[in-house]
């Protein structure tokens, strides 16, 4: 097994077509096919199912790709660490729940490593996809929270994907409402106060259960529920419908607007915000900077 072979299978998986992958890798199609077959034989797996339409990754192929991406990323990290004289394109990807501090830390990262060329990715996405992204090597780290209501299920999923959770910040749940909301003058808001208003939550796709929810409270606790996919829509509905959502209480006026405010929720619970990463994986310098930027924004806010 060589790093070149690992790069080959990742490129084929990304392209979904051996001919296209061969062109991208500047090698002949027969040479690429032979290299993949040799790796499959060495590992004792069938990574791809070939057809006239291209290739489809098998279940065991997904596992092989996960390891391949991790090893390639670790090789890049080693080159970054020891190859100080080599000019390399900065690369980093993070998947996160819909947090303003995660976006602000990403902005800090780009400002720190601004260059003629870079490839940075931030995915604000569903909880299950965050864990899948990190497990599959699509993102180096993920940003999620654990609490009393979801920890057993999410922690098991993290462990089963050979990931670890590192706690960074403990927050008390807050209600996000508009500054013109009828409850805006209250110092602390109780769940009973919210019954008359629409509860806005992020839709979680096939894993749309209480355990994968970004919000601290179940939709079953409230009669009016609206599911959305992005942060801008959620906050527009918070303002337009006197709706509310429940999160960490960490807000950024420049990013979310001054019309959204946070009020403590009267519950004796906590949200443990942190990162997920591959077990025993050495983070790149970009990921390390991003983690420190996250800590800074969380402590400032």
């Amino acid at each position: 097994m060589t790093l070149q072979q690992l790069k080959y299978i990742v490129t084929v998986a990304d392209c979904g077509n051996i001919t296209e992958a061969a062109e991208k890798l500047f090698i002949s199609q027969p040479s690429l096919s032979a290299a993949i077959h040799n790796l499959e034989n060495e590992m004792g797996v069938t990574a791809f199912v070939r057809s006239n339409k291209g290739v489809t990754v098998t279940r065991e192929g997904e596992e092989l790709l996960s390891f391949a991406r991790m090893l390639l990323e670790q090789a890049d990290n080693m080159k970054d660490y020891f190859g100080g004289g080599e000019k390399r394109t900065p690369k980093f990807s993070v998947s996160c729940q819909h947090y303003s501090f995660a976006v602000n830390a990403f902005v800090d990262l780009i400002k720190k490593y601004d260059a003629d060329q870079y490839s940075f990715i931030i995915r604000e996405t569903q909880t299950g996809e965050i864990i899948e992204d990190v497990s599959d090597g699509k993102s180096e780290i993920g940003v999620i929270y654990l609490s009393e209501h979801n920890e057993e299920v999410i922690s098991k999923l993290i462990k089963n994907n050979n990931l670890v959770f590192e706690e960074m910040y403990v927050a008390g749940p807050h209600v996000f409402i508009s500054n013109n909301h009828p409850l805006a003058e209250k110092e602390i808001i109780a769940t009973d106060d919210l019954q008359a208003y629409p509860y806005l939550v992020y839709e979680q796709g096939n894993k749309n259960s209480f355990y994968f929810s970004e919000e601290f409270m179940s939709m079953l606790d409230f009669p009016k529920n609206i599911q959305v996919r992005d942060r801008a829509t959620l906050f527009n509905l918070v303002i337009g419908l006197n709706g509310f959502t429940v999160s960490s209480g960490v807000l950024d006026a420049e990013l979310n607007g001054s019309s959204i405010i946070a009020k403590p929720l009267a519950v004796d619970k906590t949200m443990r915000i942190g990162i997920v990463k591959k077990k025993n994986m050495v983070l790149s310098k970009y990921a390390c900077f991003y983690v420190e930027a996250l800590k800074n924004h969380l402590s400032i806010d």
Side-chain angles (χ1 to χ4, degrees), residues 100-110 289-291 293-294 297:
S100 59
F101 55 82
V103 177
N104 287 333
F106 190 76
V107 171
D108 291 345
L109 172 72
I110 293 177
F289 180 88
Y290 182 78
V291 169
L294 277 176
H297 283 288

Side-chain angles (χ1 to χ4, degrees), residues 183-200:
L183 302 175
E185 299 302 318
K186 294 180 72 70
E187 292 297 323
I188 299 177
I189 295 177
T191 55
D192 287 345
D193 297 330
L194 299 167
Q195 293 293 323
Y197 306 103
Y199 184 24
L200 301 163

Side-chain angles (χ1 to χ4, degrees), residues 20 28-29 45 84-85 99-101 154 192 197 202 223 229 248 253-254 257 259 265 267 274:
E20 182 181 341
S28 68
Q29 181 177 335
V45 303
Y99 296 132
S100 59
F101 55 82
I154 300 299
D192 287 345
Y197 306 103
Y202 289 108
R229 289 297 301 267
S248 65
E254 291 186 9
S259 298
L265 181 66
V267 293

Side-chain angles (χ1 to χ4, degrees), residues 92-140:
F92 172 71
S93 179
V94 57
S95 295
C96 60
Q97 292 175 325
H98 298 76
Y99 296 132
S100 59
F101 55 82
V103 177
N104 287 333
F106 190 76
V107 171
D108 291 345
L109 172 72
I110 293 177
K111 289 181 177 178
K112 171 69 175 179
Y113 291 103
D114 191 14
D116 293 336
Q117 289 185 326
Y118 55 73
S119 179
F120 294 137
I121 301 173
I122 182 169
R123 298 183 179 93
E124 282 192 331
T125 187
Q126 300 164 348
T127 303
E129 287 188 357
I130 293 171
I131 296 173
E132 290 173 1
D133 283 351
V134 180
S135 177
D136 294 342
K138 294 177 182 177
S139 286
E140 190 170 352

Side-chain angles (χ1 to χ4, degrees), residues 30-300:
S31 296
L32 178 57
S33 295
I36 292 173
H37 278 302
N38 289 338
L39 180 61
E40 289 177 319
N41 291 334
E42 183 180 351
M43 295 293 105
V45 303
T46 300
F48 303 106
V49 175
R50 285 83 170 169
S51 71
N52 293 333
K53 296 182 179 179
V55 297
T56 303
V57 182
T58 65
R59 182 180 292 253
E60 57 187 3
E62 290 286 0
E63 295 177 348
L64 181 60
L65 282 164
S66 176
F67 281 103
R69 288 191 174 101
M70 179 179 68
L71 289 171
L72 289 170
E73 188 171 356
Q74 291 290 269
D76 283 342
N77 291 348
M78 187 171 66
K79 290 177 182 177
D80 279 337
Y81 185 86
F82 291 103
E86 182 182 359
K87 186 177 180 180
R88 300 180 58 80
T89 300
K91 294 181 179 180
F92 172 71
S93 179
V94 57
S95 295
C96 60
Q97 292 175 325
H98 298 76
Y99 296 132
S100 59
F101 55 82
V103 177
N104 287 333
F106 190 76
V107 171
D108 291 345
L109 172 72
I110 293 177
K111 289 181 177 178
K112 171 69 175 179
Y113 291 103
D114 191 14
D116 293 336
Q117 289 185 326
Y118 55 73
S119 179
F120 294 137
I121 301 173
I122 182 169
R123 298 183 179 93
E124 282 192 331
T125 187
Q126 300 164 348
T127 303
E129 287 188 357
I130 293 171
I131 296 173
E132 290 173 1
D133 283 351
V134 180
S135 177
D136 294 342
K138 294 177 182 177
S139 286
E140 190 170 352
I141 61 175
V143 183
I144 64 172
Y145 84 95
L146 298 180
S147 68
E148 293 90 336
H149 81 271
N150 73 354
E151 184 166 1
E152 182 177 356
V153 172
I154 300 299
S155 292
K156 183 177 181 179
L157 186 61
I158 289 171
K159 183 178 180 180
N160 289 345
N161 281 275
N162 201 34
L163 308 178
V164 291
F165 175 81
E166 294 184 359
E167 180 182 306
M168 299 176 58
Y169 183 76
V170 179
H174 284 64
V175 179
F176 286 5
I177 56 176
S178 77
N179 56 5
N180 292 319
H181 195 281
L183 302 175
E185 299 302 318
K186 294 180 72 70
E187 292 297 323
I188 299 177
I189 295 177
T191 55
D192 287 345
D193 297 330
L194 299 167
Q195 293 293 323
Y197 306 103
Y199 184 24
L200 301 163
V201 300
Y202 289 108
E203 191 264 330
Q204 296 294 327
N206 294 332
K207 293 178 177 154
N208 204 30
S209 74
F210 179 48
Y211 300 108
F212 288 86
S213 172
E214 287 191 39
E215 297 74 31
F216 193 79
M217 297 184 296
S218 170
M219 291 185 294
L220 299 177
D221 295 331
F222 299 94
K224 301 176 182 180
N225 299 284
I226 300 175
Q227 298 184 45
V228 301
R229 289 297 301 267
D230 66 88
R231 183 150 33 99
T233 299
L234 185 142
F235 284 138
N236 284 337
L237 294 175
V238 164
I239 296 171
L241 297 176
N242 275 337
F244 72 95
T245 192
V246 179
S247 191
S248 65
V250 182
L251 272 172
D252 182 87
E254 291 186 9
L255 193 61
N256 299 318
S258 58
S259 298
I260 304 296
I261 60 175
K263 294 288 183 175
L265 181 66
V267 293
D268 186 22
K269 305 290 183 180
T270 57
M271 301 175 67
R272 297 166 46 219
I273 298 169
I275 64 167
V276 289
K277 66 175 187 177
K278 285 186 181 292
K279 189 176 182 181
N280 300 324
M281 182 174 182
V282 178
L283 294 178
S284 68
K285 64 181 180 181
Y286 310 111
C288 290
F289 180 88
Y290 182 78
V291 169
E292 290 305 310
L294 277 176
K295 293 177 181 177
N296 290 336
H297 283 288
L298 286 166
S299 61
I300 289 173

